[in-house]
């Protein structure tokens, strides 16, 4: 292989690797996986869950005894000390008398709450519920993001097919315009009629521009959800969406709702709220019960006015102590009663929130179900309408060439065909989207293809 040929191949390879056509195309599953890993709102929810897990570990550690060490070092000055004999200071005999002297104390202490009405153990349970609530909140956010991505993805696919429809219509308009020009040249059509054909061709070009603009806007919104900020070309994979996907069996409304009640995170979150409020009530009632604790300590002291060595002082002054503490609440300025009442109010709030979320969930599922049923029926009718409009336009086009109809009738037939094609596309993709949303609410997972 000569040098020129090698250079040419390298240039071709370089162009191939940098050509925009080779830009990455995202599938629906890739979009969802990327969003679940990189979405900032989800990352914040994960941090909330991690913080709740730290609260669990802290409350579990609070069940164990505490242990602390302390020391106190003091330098004191006595202007007029008694001299000539030993004195007693801080409970210890001082053999020497100095104006400036030094004292040191050392100790280790431990405290343990043996029983406080199970408030400490219920705190552990409450923190675990809080962690589950944080996880459920993260799952709610993840579901909302998946729904948003699926809706935008389907809109992009619909826009892509709408562009193709407009392009086919543009080709027909161009052919009609060329035929019109030929008719004008032979005197079989007026220039006014030709101007209408030219206007129709321009409208189709405008329709393509508008459809492309809509698709770019949907891509921009999808990039925003994915939080992609680079200027790399963004495109999606256009899967083969069949008519069967729009005509598939629609799950029943009640079956979807019953399955959603079992697995939707917003319902679980509300139930956890009720569970946490029940624990809060128990903890509030426990404020009226006694608290039992034990403590132990070991201390020793040293002084510069002692003639004993420092080590001997530590030994001679060593002291061990232990005790039991019992605290019985008698009058707490209504603190316990207020805590109980507020916890019961919170439980009622969570119960109302559960009912509200159940109602909202049913409404969302019912809306998807109605949209699926309606658009599936619309799609069936739109397919027939498109076939009829296509046949009608082909007949009108033939008559137009034979000068049996005027330009207005041809354009009306063409407009009817374009409208029928758009209605078919719209109902098809809306049926697919809403059926997929029903399956998502039922199983918790989106299908790999829209």
């Amino acid at each position: 292989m000569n040098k020129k040929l090698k250079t040419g191949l390298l240039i071709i390879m370089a162009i191939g690797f940098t050509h925009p056509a080779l830009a990455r195309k995202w599938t629906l599953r890739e979009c969802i996986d990327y969003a679940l890993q990189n979405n900032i709102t989800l990352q914040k929810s994960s941090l909330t869950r991690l913080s709740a897990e730290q609260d669990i570990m802290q409350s579990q550690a609070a069940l164990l005894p505490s242990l602390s060490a302390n020391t106190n070092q003091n330098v004191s000055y006595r202007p007029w000390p008694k001299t000539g004999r030993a004195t007693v200071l801080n409970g210890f005999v001082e053999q020497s008398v100095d104006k400036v002297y030094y004292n040191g104390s050392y100790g280790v202490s431990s405290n343990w709450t043996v029983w406080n009405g199970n408030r400490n153990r219920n705190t552990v349970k409450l923190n675990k519920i809080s962690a589950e609530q944080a996880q459920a909140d993260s799952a709610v956010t993840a579901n909302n993001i998946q729904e948003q991505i699926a809706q935008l993805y389907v809109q992009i696919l619909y826009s892509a097919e709408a562009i193709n429809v407009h392009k086919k219509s543009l080709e027909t308009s161009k052919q009609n315009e060329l035929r019109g020009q030929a008719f004008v040249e032979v005197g079989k059509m007026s220039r006014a009629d030709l101007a209408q054909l030219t206007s129709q061709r321009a409208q189709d070009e405008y329709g393509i521009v508008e459809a492309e603009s809509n698709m770019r806007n949907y891509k921009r919104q999808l990039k925003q959800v994915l939080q992609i900020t680079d200027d790399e070309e963004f495109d999606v994979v256009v899967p083969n969406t069949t008519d069967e996907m729009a005509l598939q069996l629609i799950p029943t409304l009640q079956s979807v709702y019953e399955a959603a009640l079992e697995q939707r995170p917003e319902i679980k979150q509300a139930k956890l709220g009720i569970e946490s409020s029940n624990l809060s009530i128990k903890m509030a009632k426990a404020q009226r019960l006694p608290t039992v604790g034990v403590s132990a300590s070991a201390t020793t002291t040293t002084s510069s006015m002692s003639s004993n060595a420092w080590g001997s002082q530590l030994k001679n002054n060593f002291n061990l102590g232990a005790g039991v503490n019992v605290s019985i609440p008698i009058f707490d300025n209504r603190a316990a009663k207020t805590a109980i009442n507020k916890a019961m109010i919170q439980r009622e709030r969570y119960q109302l929130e559960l009912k509200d979320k159940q109602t909202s969930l049913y409404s969302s599922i019912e809306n998807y179900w109605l949209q699926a049923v309606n658009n599936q029926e619309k799609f069936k009718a739109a397919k027939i309408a498109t076939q009829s409009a296509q046949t009608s336009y082909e007949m009108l086009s033939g008559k137009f060439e034979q000068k049996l109809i005027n330009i207005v009738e041809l354009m009306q037939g063409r407009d009817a065909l374009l409208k029928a094609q758009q209605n078919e596309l719209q109902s098809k993709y809306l049926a697919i989207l809403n059926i997929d949303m029903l399956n998502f609410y039922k199983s918790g997972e989106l299908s790999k293809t829209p």
Side-chain angles (χ1 to χ4, degrees), residues 80-126:
W80 304 285
K82 294 181 179 181
T83 59
R85 59 177 181 171
T87 59
V88 178
L89 183 66
N90 295 329
F92 298 100
V93 177
E94 310 290 354
Q95 282 80 13
S96 63
V97 180
D98 300 322
K99 288 186 176 183
V100 179
Y101 62 93
Y102 168 84
N103 282 333
S105 64
Y106 312 88
V108 176
S109 60
S110 177
N111 292 281
W112 182 33
T113 301
V114 179
W115 190 76
N116 63 349
N118 279 334
R119 275 181 290 170
N120 48 3
R121 290 172 176 79
N122 284 332
T123 299
V124 176
K125 296 178 182 178
L126 187 62

Side-chain angles (χ1 to χ4, degrees), residues 135-206:
Q135 188 172 1
D137 183 65
S138 180
V140 170
T141 303
N143 282 349
N144 292 337
I145 290 173
Q146 290 185 73
E147 282 191 54
Q148 191 175 2
I149 289 174
Q151 291 169 354
L152 290 171
Y153 198 92
V154 170
Q155 289 291 348
I156 292 172
L157 300 184
Y158 167 71
S159 298
E161 285 215 33
I163 291 172
N164 292 331
V165 169
H166 281 289
K167 285 182 178 180
K168 291 179 181 178
S169 180
L170 176 61
E171 290 300 321
T172 302
S173 297
K174 286 181 178 180
Q175 292 176 6
N176 288 338
E177 185 181 17
L178 290 174
R179 282 185 294 180
Q181 290 173 352
F183 287 157
V184 169
E185 291 176 358
V186 297
K188 292 184 177 181
M189 178 183 288
S190 67
R191 292 193 177 275
D193 288 342
L194 177 61
Q196 292 187 52
L197 291 176
T198 303
S199 174
Q200 188 65 66
R201 186 259 304 163
Q203 289 180 17
D204 285 335
E205 291 176 344
Y206 178 83

